[in-house]
Each structure stands twice: as structure tokens, then as C-alpha cells.
Amino acid sequence: MTNSTEERKSGMPPPNSAFSMGGPNAPDSEPEDPDPMENNDLTSSLLRPSGEAETLFGSSSQIAAAVSNPHSSLRLLARKIGNLLLTITLLTMIVVIPVVTVRQVRKHKIEIAASQSAAVLVAGTLVLSVRLVYLHFMHWYMPSVQKYVVRIIWMVPIYSIQSWLSLEFRNSRIYIDAVRDLYEAFVIASFVYYLIELLGGQDELVRTLRLKARNDPATAAHLGDHGYFLNHVLEPWELGVEFMLQCKHGVLQYVVAKTVATVLTFVCQWLDIYGEGEFRWNVTYPYLAFLLNISVMYALYCLVKLFYAVKDDLRYPIDWHPLGKFLCVKGAHGIIVDAGNWTGEQVANGLIDYCVCIEMVGFAIAHSYTFTYTEYLPSTVRQAVDDYQQSLQEQQHDEEDNNDSNHATNRSASYRPPDTLPTPMRFRDALISSTLPSETIRDIRRLRNGVEQAVGDASNPGSISLQDVLASELDQN
């Protein structure tokens, strides 16, 4: 964050800004973006002309240029084809699934009915998710945020495909489910990074937490506290650098633990000592299950801890709809008897996998609304700037501030939303940036020796670079 505090004070949208958008379709004021085959010079798009006046959301000429760029006929045609394919897919699912299921059930081929109907569900999920990812790639205006959005969106088709593969290749289900659960750990970490970027980056997050600590010490102490039982294990976290790094460390340790557990699962299953579902001392399943449960519970604890600390800041001054996004990240997954050549345990696992295939269709639809690309369009930013400028004019005529308004003013002065490009990044660069988790790998390396050392090294350049934050804290002390 290189802008001064005075620069950050300009350009904050009110709570009811244009960022409060829910549907998957673009608004009427959607910007006209360039042809994907032209105007893809990312370097020139990031350069600001000398002497250009800058707002909180970028230079005014950049935003105006982004809004005024003409739509390409190729882009419009691709969108129409995508919408048509979406409609056909949904109608096909409604018609084909009952027909396939009834036909195979009458032949007493339950496993074939489950497999074929699940395949149709997977196909529908793929169309919904790929369409949404494509729309993000074609409107890649906020790379720092949208790369995490795409990683989260991919969770749905990956879950769906692997659940169907588990139905088809039930003897290899252990290997398939292990890979699926590994991506779940990656999604939890990606969501933490996503929240941080929505707040303007880790520097801005630290400033926000420090502001909370100064304005309300009691609330800060509550946020850093762990409760009676966990206080015997964990030290209280100070709001600021330590709190942010502890939350990162908590989710990243699960990524590492799940990666190691996946490799051990493959090896132990190959050596025939895994013993899934068996609680015996001479198999590895109970030990791995116990350690992974501890790891995932701590990761979710850190995720909820961060979400609870910043949930209000994710609603004001820009409403990013944090609750809906949080609920979409984690979804929920009888009397079981033998069926055909399936054992009772295989039937139970098959039902779970089939239910996951059904669930993922619903989550694919939900993602189209909660993770819509329209939140990151330059027209949305332009509207947010206009709304805030209007609110500033109203505030000039009203100087009666209470404690809550003072806190909001301080928050608005320190908040900086994610940077928005004047033209969308080209498809290839967007794909690469969303695929390579370089920041996750760097932070794992940075935090491998513990949070205390990372806090001490926070002034050094790298993944955790908080020089300005630490310097301002020293000046205030």
C-alpha cells in the first residue's frame, strides 16, 4: 500500500453502494469491455499517466476508459451461447434424470441408475461452474480478488466429478476421496486470502484490526480471547499483525497436514495397513483420522475467528455479502443393507457420493449469485465512487457526529478496496494467476518456523510485508 492516508480518504462508497449486487447477470450499466484479442497489454493498463489525479479506486481517466470501452461481438456472442447452453442443460437435467432413473430401476439395476443419473447431474454442474469461471476470466478486473473466487468456484465441479468417480470406481474410492478432501483444505485457505483481499490486502487488514483495538479495547480483548478451555492451550492473540498471521497459520497448517495425510493414505492403502473405518491399533486409519480432525477443527476455528472479527467491515463501506459467501464455502454432506454386489458399507458410501452430486448442482447455482463477476466490474466501481462523493457532500452539511459515526469515518479513511484494472486481463494471464497458488506456498514457507518469528520478520520484504503498518504503530507509540 503506497498511497498516503490523505489519498485513501477519497472515494469511499456508502453501505448501499453498487457493490451490493446479487444476481449472476450483468447490470444494465455494465461496462463495455474490449475485444479479448485486442487491448490486452496488461503492463500499459497498470501504468498511470504522470500527474493524473487518483481516487481511492484508481485514476478517474482509467475508470472512465474502462466504462467506455466497446463490447466485442465475440464476447457478446460467447455470453449468449453460454446462456443458451445453461438453459438447455437445466431443461435436460429435469427431463433426462427421471427417465434414466425409472428405466434402470425397472430393470433392477440400481447401481446403473445411480451412475447414469449422477453423470447427468455432474454434466449440469460442470456447465454451470465453467460458465461462471468463464465470465470471471472475461471480466478479470480485480486479479488479486478474482483468482481466489475462481479457486473457490472450482470446488463444486471437482467435488461433483470425484463423487461420480467414486460411484463408478468404488474400489478406488479411498484414493479419489483423499484428493477431493485435499482440495477442500486448499479452498479453506483460499477463502481466508479472499477475505483479506476484500478488505484491501493484509496491510489494510492489520490497520483495521489495530483501529478496532484502539477504539474499543474491550471488544479487541474479546476477539483475541479463546474462551476458558482453549485459553489453557492458546495464548490470547493481539489484534493486528499477530492476529492476522495466527489466522493464516491456522488454515495453512491444515493444507500441509492434509497433503501429508493424503500421501500417507496412498502409501498405507497400497501396503494394506490403512484399514478405513476400522479402529484397531495395528492400522493407520484411526491415527490419521484423529490428527486430521484436530487439524481441520483448528483451521475452521481460525477461519471463523477471522470472519467474526471483520464481518462488519465486509459490509461497510462496501457490502460484499460475506455471510452468503461464507455459507457457500462449507456445505453439508440410515438404514444401510447390501444391494446387489455392493456391501452395506459400499451402499452407504455410494449414497453419500450421490447426495454430493445432487448438492453440487445447488451449490453451482448458489455460486452464480454469491460469487458473481459483476461485483468486480469497473462500472460498479464507478457507481461506488459517485455514491461516496454524493455522501461526502451530504456530510459537509451535517457535522453532528456521534461515536458510531466517528468509528465509521475512521474506518472509511483507512479502507482501500482491491485495485481494479482499467481493462480486463487477457484470458491466458487470468488462467495462470488463478491456477498457481504462489502466495500460499510463500506463506507456508514464511510461517514454517511459527508465528512469533514471522511477526519478527514482518518488516522484511516478501509475502508478509507490513513495513508501513509497523512504522505507523511505532510513531503512534
Side-chain angles (χ1 to χ4, degrees):
M1 300 299 170
T2 57
N3 292 350
S4 62
T5 304
E6 288 78 8
E7 288 174 327
R8 282 191 293 268
K9 288 183 180 180
S10 63
M12 292 310 308
N16 295 325
S17 71
F19 276 80
S20 303
M21 308 181 71
N25 296 323
D28 294 337
S29 61
E30 181 182 337
E32 298 180 325
D33 38 82
D35 189 286
M37 305 303 294
E38 301 177 357
N39 298 328
N40 279 324
D41 191 345
L42 180 59
T43 303
S44 63
S45 72
L46 292 172
L47 295 178
R48 184 171 62 254
S50 58
E52 179 75 61
E54 181 174 323
T55 68
L56 181 60
F57 297 87
S59 65
S60 57
S61 64
Q62 284 178 326
I63 298 174
V67 175
S68 61
N69 280 330
H71 264 304
S72 68
S73 57
L74 176 62
R75 195 179 298 255
L76 290 174
L77 178 61
R79 182 178 300 169
K80 291 180 180 179
I81 294 175
N83 292 335
L84 178 62
L85 183 60
L86 173 64
T87 303
I88 294 175
T89 301
L90 293 176
L91 292 176
T92 302
M93 290 172 58
I94 295 174
V95 174
V96 172
I97 291 178
V99 173
V100 170
T101 303
V102 171
R103 179 179 299 176
Q104 297 300 332
V105 168
R106 287 177 177 175
K107 296 179 181 178
H108 303 287
K109 297 180 179 179
I110 305 298
E111 62 274 16
I112 297 179
S115 176
Q116 292 182 351
S117 59
V120 177
L121 292 170
V122 171
T125 300
L126 276 174
V127 171
L128 291 167
S129 298
V130 171
R131 172 182 175 272
L132 181 57
V133 170
Y134 171 80
L135 289 174
H136 274 281
F137 282 157
M138 289 293 99
H139 303 83
W140 202 258
Y141 290 99
M142 286 189 184
S144 61
V145 173
Q146 287 180 276
K147 62 181 179 181
Y148 300 115
V149 174
V150 168
R151 293 172 190 177
I152 294 171
I153 293 173
W154 279 127
M155 172 187 67
V156 170
I158 288 176
Y159 267 43
S160 184
I161 292 173
Q162 293 187 327
S163 295
W164 177 76
L165 289 175
S166 295
L167 283 172
E168 285 291 297
F169 309 100
R170 55 183 181 274
N171 293 328
S172 302
R173 186 186 53 80
I174 293 178
Y175 303 105
I176 298 171
D177 289 354
V179 176
R180 180 181 64 190
D181 295 341
L182 176 61
Y183 193 80
E184 177 190 18
F186 179 63
V187 168
I188 293 176
S190 296
F191 188 67
V192 168
Y193 283 92
Y194 174 70
L195 294 180
I196 293 174
E197 290 300 329
L198 286 182
L199 294 167
Q202 57 188 9
D203 289 15
E204 292 300 328
L205 171 60
V206 171
R207 289 190 179 95
T208 299
L209 295 174
R210 297 292 295 175
L211 184 64
K212 290 177 181 287
R214 287 195 297 268
N215 291 341
D216 193 350
T219 300
H222 174 69
L223 292 174
D225 188 66
H226 304 288
Y228 176 77
F229 293 103
L230 287 181
N231 279 336
H232 291 82
V233 182
L234 302 173
E235 294 290 335
W237 297 347
E238 180 182 0
L239 255 63
V241 178
E242 181 185 7
F243 189 93
M244 188 265 296
L245 292 180
Q246 289 285 6
C247 292
K248 273 191 174 184
H249 183 267
V251 296
L252 291 177
Q253 61 80 28
Y254 179 52
V255 175
V256 175
K258 188 61 186 176
T259 302
V260 174
T262 300
V263 175
L264 290 177
T265 299
F266 288 179
V267 173
C268 294
Q269 180 68 14
W270 179 66
L271 296 175
D272 199 23
I273 59 173
Y274 182 61
E276 183 189 22
E278 300 178 10
F279 290 88
R280 297 184 288 111
W281 68 270
N282 58 345
V283 294
T284 58
Y285 172 80
Y287 306 107
L288 287 177
F290 175 78
L291 294 176
L292 279 179
N293 282 334
I294 297 296
S295 179
V296 68
M297 284 191 295
Y298 183 64
L300 291 176
Y301 172 76
C302 293
L303 172 61
V304 173
K305 194 88 170 169
L306 176 63
F307 180 82
Y308 184 74
V310 300
K311 59 182 176 64
D312 293 333
D313 303 289
L314 292 170
R315 295 190 179 98
Y316 178 84
I318 297 176
D319 186 3
W320 293 105
H321 305 96
L323 183 59
K325 293 177 170 64
F326 180 80
L327 294 177
C328 278
V329 169
K330 288 297 294 177
H333 272 228
I335 301 176
I336 306 298
V337 296
D338 293 358
N341 60 347
W342 288 41
T343 65
E345 181 180 354
Q346 289 175 335
V347 172
N349 293 326
L351 285 175
I352 294 175
D353 291 326
Y354 189 82
C355 288
V356 170
C357 292
I358 298 175
E359 288 177 358
M360 291 306 107
V361 176
F363 277 105
I365 297 174
H367 277 188
S368 299
Y369 289 88
T370 56
F371 290 105
T372 171
Y373 72 95
T374 56
E375 289 183 303
Y376 316 108
L377 295 174
S379 62
T380 309
V381 178
R382 178 74 269 174
Q383 184 63 44
V385 173
D386 293 341
D387 288 346
Y388 179 70
Q389 290 175 348
Q390 181 179 358
S391 69
L392 281 182
Q393 295 176 358
E394 296 175 354
Q395 290 178 8
Q396 291 176 356
H397 300 85
D398 186 6
E399 299 297 334
E400 299 179 1
D401 296 325
N402 51 37
N403 293 333
D404 293 337
S405 63
N406 285 335
H407 173 72
T409 302
N410 292 334
R411 167 61 183 154
S412 298
S414 66
Y415 178 73
R416 179 181 177 84
D419 294 332
T420 304
L421 299 179
T423 58
M425 186 184 294
R426 56 185 178 180
F427 188 93
R428 183 185 64 183
D429 293 335
L431 177 62
I432 294 175
S433 66
S434 68
T435 304
L436 301 177
S438 55
E439 69 291 327
T440 304
I441 297 174
R442 285 197 301 266
D443 279 349
I444 289 175
R445 296 179 59 186
R446 180 78 64 171
L447 294 168
R448 69 182 183 274
N449 294 323
V451 174
E452 292 184 1
Q453 181 172 337
V455 173
D457 296 339
S459 58
N460 297 327
S463 174
I464 303 171
S465 54
L466 305 168
Q467 305 97 312
D468 297 337
V469 177
L470 299 176
S472 63
E473 291 179 1
L474 292 175
D475 293 340
Q476 292 173 359
N477 293 332

